[in-house]
Amino acid sequence: MAEDGEEKLLATVQHIVQTLGSSDTMTEDILKVFSNYDGRLSLEKLYAARAAAASGGGGGGGGGGEHSMPASPPLPPPPAAAAVSTAGARPPVTSMERTVRTLDRQISQFVAMDRLIWADSADADAFLEAVDDLIGTVQELDAAGTNRALLDRADELLSRCMARLEDEFRALIERPDDAAPVVPGGFGSDGSDDDEDFGGGDGYGDEPIPIAKPVTDYDVVIDALSPGSIANVRQIARRMVDAGFGRECAEAYAAARRSFVDESVARLGVRPRTAEEVHGSPWEELEFDIARWIPACKMVFRILIPSERRLCDRVFDGLAPFGDLAFIAAVRTQALQLISFGDAISTSSRAPERLFRVVDMYEAVRDLLPDLDPVFSDPYSAALRAEISAVCNTLGSSIKGIFMELENLIRRDPARVAAPGGGIHPITRYVMNYLRAACGSRQTLEEVMEGDFGSNGGAPVAVDPDRPTSSLAVHVAWIMDVLHKNLDTKSKIYRDPSLACVFLMNNGKYIIQKVNDSELGVLLGDEWIKQMTTRVRRWSMDYQRATWGKVMTVLQTGGPGIGGLPVKAMLQKLRMFNTYFEEIYAAQSEWVIADEQLRVDIRAAVEDSVMPVYAGLIAKLKSSPETGRDLYIKYTPEDVVAHIQHLFEGTPK
């Protein structure tokens, strides 16, 4: 009788389920209510009864034969069809279906939360457990391949689950303080908040982004997330990868970290600029941008990006290649923005005054390359590493181009206006001071001229101080030759050949001085200096011949003694000397010999050539009985020497 009553009870439950269970979820809930209400109605019995009714027909209250008498009146049948009939019964519910339904209820509760699941560590653990079960269930269904409808339903649930996990993932990265505390500590590894220095929010609100203070020590790492936060996001990343959503996880990570990277670069005072903007900007403005760009590059590629690599490796530990994808997606935009500025500078004007800033940029990028190898070691980062190396190459090519432009500048310098008094020409000062300053970066220039372009791993190229045949030395020697030819052309502007010689002497001596007191001497070598010194000496002799040759001819008296020229002829020579000497003195006292030692040497050479013959002429005239006491000497030998000492001072006399 008890068994018969239990059967009737089961049949009644089946009737209620058939009537009210309009969906699988509602059916599941009704069965669970009855199982909790009566101990005889366990879920196993209810599921078994449903399966029997669906496969056998009869129903829960059917008797045996015509002699069977029920122990109690049967329940009335439902108003529509039979309580359980083969035609209207659902297929049996399998354990997989029950699992998916249970997981659906559990996960739906978490997905519907209007707060972070990770705000409560217990909720986070329960959610992850449900996710693990769902992933396992989907994998089982996929492997079995016998219930496509149920697999589609589980996949749909998994997609909703992953979408919520992605939201949690981004929130934990962008707002780690919103999560439940897991381990003590704050933003940085030491518990301090690094947001003040590097930025942690989106940085694009109404408040201006402050510029970071200069950094001199680049051997630091930014810990943007605490160990507890990293553990949380790593748990989510592992589930998303296990579920086949690794790429979505990488994209979510990159989107979350990109705002931090963007703001960090903005705080360095670097603004994005197109190549057209760079090419159209005045050089003074670009110099200001370069002054910020160089330390920004060091900060980004030595601190910020390595720190992002370290964080990414910790979050995606053991989840390759998604960590590499997430890393490059997070940093690529800002890295390209920085190096694009360097590329724009290298392809802009190659005016000589830009050399020094371009060398600074080249050295900054070249020195970064060795540090980038471990950071951009994966295949996904290799292209970015190659682009940075390419910018180093283009900057090196720009340096070469600037040197070529210097040659063109010298050639184009017009020979229209002569330097006053045969002094040092502005082009000579410009070129020599330019090359002298450039030699401050001689090792870099040697590297560039050799065409290595940072191929030495960022280490300076070894320079042989006794090798004046390097590419840079040959290039500098060529520039000096172009300058010499330009000066020779300019010397022809002077109508007075003597002044042309003074001009060449001045500029030649200035060149030798600048070569001797700088590393230009190392590049050009002793032999070049000797040749240039010989040129200056030859110009000095040319000057003496052009200026004092006719004077020396006038002073010739035909040999020693009183014999020779008559007194009248000697007096004529004296008058001619006075005229020539006055003309020379009036003109050449305004001329300039800039180098003091050269000035002393030229005056001494003039004295040595003029004074002996002049003094001899005066002596002959004084000793002649025809002149006697009536001899008038306008310039005594002492007067001539005094006048010679006033030559080449640049002031009229």
Side-chain angles (χ1 to χ4, degrees):
M1 295 291 288
E3 292 180 1
D4 190 33
E6 185 173 321
E7 288 180 4
K8 291 180 179 180
L9 182 57
L10 289 171
T12 301
V13 171
Q14 292 299 331
H15 168 62
I16 295 172
V17 169
Q18 184 72 18
T19 303
L20 301 179
S22 59
S23 67
D24 291 341
T25 301
M26 185 174 291
T27 299
E28 187 86 12
D29 292 340
I30 294 172
L31 293 176
K32 189 171 183 180
V33 169
F34 278 110
S35 68
N36 293 332
Y37 178 76
D38 194 315
R40 294 173 296 173
L41 302 175
S42 66
L43 283 175
E44 289 77 8
K45 289 182 179 180
L46 292 173
Y47 282 127
R50 290 196 71 206
S55 59
E66 61 181 8
H67 300 290
S68 299
M69 297 295 293
S72 59
L75 292 172
V84 181
S85 65
T86 303
R90 292 194 176 98
V93 179
T94 65
S95 60
M96 276 295 185
E97 289 179 302
R98 291 195 298 272
T99 300
V100 171
R101 292 172 184 173
T102 302
L103 290 174
D104 192 348
R105 285 199 312 274
Q106 294 174 353
I107 290 174
S108 296
Q109 294 174 359
F110 290 114
V111 170
M113 284 185 176
D114 57 0
R115 61 166 175 82
L116 275 180
I117 298 173
W118 262 258
D120 186 313
S121 58
D123 286 344
D125 292 341
F127 185 44
L128 288 178
E129 183 178 353
V131 170
D132 289 337
D133 291 343
L134 178 59
I135 293 173
T137 299
V138 170
Q139 291 172 346
E140 284 188 48
L141 288 170
D142 188 50
T146 57
N147 194 337
R148 187 66 202 178
L150 186 59
L151 177 59
D152 290 343
R153 178 182 173 188
D155 279 336
E156 188 275 333
L157 177 60
L158 185 62
S159 296
R160 288 193 291 127
C161 181
M162 291 298 113
R164 180 57 191 249
L165 272 182
E166 182 177 325
D167 293 340
E168 297 282 326
F169 186 73
R170 289 190 61 168
L172 289 174
I173 295 174
E174 294 173 347
R175 306 185 304 276
D177 292 339
D178 291 351
V182 179
V183 294
F187 190 79
S189 59
D190 57 355
S192 62
D193 187 355
D194 289 333
D195 180 69
E196 181 179 352
D197 293 329
F198 300 102
D202 56 17
Y204 296 98
D206 296 332
E207 293 296 324
I209 299 174
I211 304 302
K213 296 179 180 179
V215 173
T216 56
D217 181 12
Y218 296 98
D219 190 20
V220 296
V221 174
I222 306 171
D223 279 329
L225 297 178
S226 67
S229 296
I230 292 174
N232 285 335
V233 294
R234 186 192 297 122
Q235 287 179 327
I236 297 176
R238 184 171 66 80
R239 267 67 175 196
M240 293 187 72
V241 171
D242 289 346
F245 287 75
R247 186 170 291 274
E248 289 81 356
C249 182
E251 291 172 355
Y253 176 91
R257 292 303 302 163
R258 196 177 295 122
S259 60
F260 174 85
V261 175
D262 290 347
E263 183 186 355
S264 297
V265 174
R267 291 194 176 199
L268 298 175
V270 179
R271 51 177 175 154
R273 307 192 69 179
T274 64
E276 291 74 17
E277 290 174 335
V278 171
H279 295 166
S281 298
W283 177 240
E284 294 75 14
E285 181 179 321
L286 293 178
E287 279 192 298
F288 177 80
D289 290 339
I290 291 171
R292 283 191 168 179
W293 183 85
I294 291 174
C297 271
K298 295 177 181 178
M299 172 71 80
V300 169
F301 288 104
R302 287 186 172 176
I303 296 181
L304 182 62
I305 288 181
S307 297
E308 287 299 313
R309 166 59 83 180
R310 179 173 180 264
L311 176 62
C312 200
D313 288 346
R314 294 170 71 186
V315 170
F316 290 92
D317 184 25
L319 301 177
F322 302 107
D324 297 332
L325 287 170
F327 165 72
I328 195 62
V331 304
R332 178 178 174 81
T333 300
Q334 285 298 337
L336 286 177
Q337 175 186 308
L338 278 174
I339 63 176
S340 65
F341 177 77
D343 188 62
I345 289 291
S346 67
T347 56
S348 61
S349 168
R350 294 186 174 179
E353 66 269 15
R354 299 191 172 201
L355 173 70
F356 306 100
R357 299 288 78 80
V358 175
V359 167
D360 291 341
M361 295 176 72
Y362 171 85
E363 291 176 339
V365 178
R366 177 203 64 192
D367 295 344
L368 288 174
L369 293 179
D371 298 331
L372 299 182
D373 290 335
V375 179
F376 297 126
S377 58
D378 62 275
Y380 303 98
S381 303
L384 179 57
R385 170 64 170 79
E387 291 192 55
I388 299 172
S389 181
V391 169
C392 186
N393 292 343
T394 58
L395 288 169
S397 297
S398 178
I399 292 171
K400 279 188 169 183
I402 290 174
F403 265 84
M404 294 179 63
E405 184 58 29
L406 177 62
E407 295 176 20
N408 295 331
L409 175 69
I410 299 170
R411 289 191 181 95
R412 292 193 303 263
D413 192 63
R416 292 194 297 264
V417 181
I424 301 169
H425 197 278
I427 191 65
T428 306
R429 294 184 185 275
Y430 176 82
V431 172
M432 296 312 300
N433 288 320
Y434 185 95
L435 294 176
R436 190 170 180 267
C439 282
S441 303
R442 180 162 69 96
Q443 288 185 325
T444 297
L445 294 177
E446 289 274 11
E447 175 184 306
V448 169
M449 295 302 175
E450 294 290 344
D452 293 336
F453 295 144
S455 62
N456 201 32
V461 171
V463 177
D464 183 358
D466 298 322
R467 185 172 70 100
T469 57
S470 67
S471 297
L472 177 61
V474 171
H475 211 108
V476 170
W478 176 252
I479 291 175
M480 299 306 301
D481 187 61
V482 172
L483 177 61
H484 169 67
K485 291 177 180 177
N486 181 272
L487 293 173
D488 188 63
T489 301
K490 285 179 168 61
S491 70
K492 293 178 173 57
I493 302 175
Y494 299 99
R495 296 180 180 179
D496 189 336
S498 299
L499 185 55
C501 293
V502 171
F503 171 78
L504 291 173
M505 277 192 294
N506 273 318
N507 286 270
K509 188 65 175 180
Y510 183 82
I511 290 171
I512 293 173
Q513 288 175 341
K514 292 299 180 181
V515 169
N516 279 330
D517 66 358
S518 70
E519 292 197 45
L520 284 170
V522 177
L523 288 172
L524 295 171
D526 294 337
E527 187 62 31
W528 187 94
I529 297 174
K530 289 179 182 178
Q531 292 175 3
M532 194 65 195
T533 304
T534 300
R535 284 180 179 176
V536 173
R537 189 179 298 114
R538 188 183 71 245
W539 291 325
S540 173
M541 295 173 64
D542 291 344
Y543 158 78
Q544 293 180 57
R545 282 193 297 269
T547 300
W548 300 97
K550 60 182 179 179
V551 175
M552 297 296 295
T553 301
V554 166
L555 292 176
Q556 296 299 324
T557 59
I562 298 177
L565 290 177
V567 172
K568 187 176 181 179
M570 287 191 290
L571 289 174
Q572 179 63 27
K573 284 180 175 286
L574 181 60
R575 285 191 292 271
M576 292 177 63
F577 170 81
N578 291 341
T579 301
Y580 288 157
F581 185 70
E582 287 170 357
E583 290 175 354
I584 292 171
Y585 180 72
Q588 297 191 13
S589 62
E590 297 183 14
W591 294 0
V592 175
I593 292 183
D595 181 71
E596 182 179 357
Q597 186 59 51
L598 179 61
R599 190 166 59 246
V600 169
D601 292 342
I602 296 297
R603 289 169 177 171
V606 171
E607 284 187 38
D608 292 343
S609 61
V610 172
M611 291 313 298
V613 291
Y614 181 72
L617 176 62
I618 297 299
K620 286 184 178 182
L621 288 172
K622 284 184 177 181
S623 62
S624 172
E626 297 182 32
T627 56
R629 295 177 178 269
D630 296 331
L631 178 64
Y632 172 71
I633 301 175
K634 187 174 184 179
Y635 297 107
T636 65
E638 291 76 14
D639 292 335
V640 173
V641 171
H643 280 69
I644 290 174
Q645 294 302 314
H646 285 108
L647 297 178
F648 316 120
E649 291 184 347
T651 56
K653 302 295 182 183

